[in-house]
Amino acid sequence: TSSSTSNSVTQWLNQHCICLSALFMQYAKAGVHAVRAGPPLAENIWRALVGESVKPYVPQSNILGLVSTGDKYAIASKGSYLSMEGKWMWSWKDRIDRSWMAQYTKDIPDKA
């Protein structure tokens, strides 16, 4: 029933959200972690609901950070060993962001 499914989800989330929070505290605050964790999290919630064992998820430890600073300028960093900045870096970030957003907006009709 819907109520028992809801209780199962709530119980699973209560058991695992603290673990997820602790896991992500050791990683830089970046949207890429949430985006990449979404599909495995959804699969594990489904697995828990149907009584299957969940699969471990290990986030990427070293990400490329691209931060726009305004005025079409951006800074990139990867770990503690690589950093770059400039207008060309903003162009690269803009292209990556637009490409990523296009994946999620292609089925949305224009507001014409």
Side-chain angles (χ1 to χ4, degrees):
T1 67
S2 176
S3 178
S4 65
T5 299
S6 177
N7 289 337
S8 296
V9 171
T10 302
Q11 183 180 14
W12 188 89
L13 289 173
N14 286 337
Q15 292 172 349
H16 293 85
C17 283
I18 293 171
C19 296
L20 289 170
S21 296
L23 174 69
F24 283 108
M25 285 175 62
Q26 59 186 308
Y27 296 95
K29 291 182 180 179
V32 68
H33 291 302
V35 169
R36 292 190 176 161
L41 178 59
E43 180 183 350
N44 277 336
I45 290 172
W46 179 253
R47 288 173 159 278
L49 287 172
V50 298
E52 295 180 10
S53 60
V54 297
K55 293 181 179 179
Y57 172 72
V58 179
Q60 182 179 348
S61 61
N62 197 359
I63 62 165
L64 173 64
L66 287 167
V67 178
S68 176
T69 61
D71 202 23
K72 296 189 175 185
Y73 195 89
I75 300 171
S77 66
K78 181 147 176 110
S80 60
Y81 56 87
L82 176 66
S83 66
M84 295 176 273
E85 60 183 273
K87 289 186 180 280
W88 71 275
M89 192 56 61
W90 181 88
S91 295
W92 188 38
K93 176 180 175 25
D94 186 59
R95 186 169 53 249
I96 290 169
D97 289 349
R98 288 178 187 275
S99 173
W100 187 82
M101 288 300 294
Q103 296 176 54
Y104 298 97
T105 58
K106 63 183 173 195
D107 296 328
I108 298 174
D110 291 334
K111 291 183 178 181

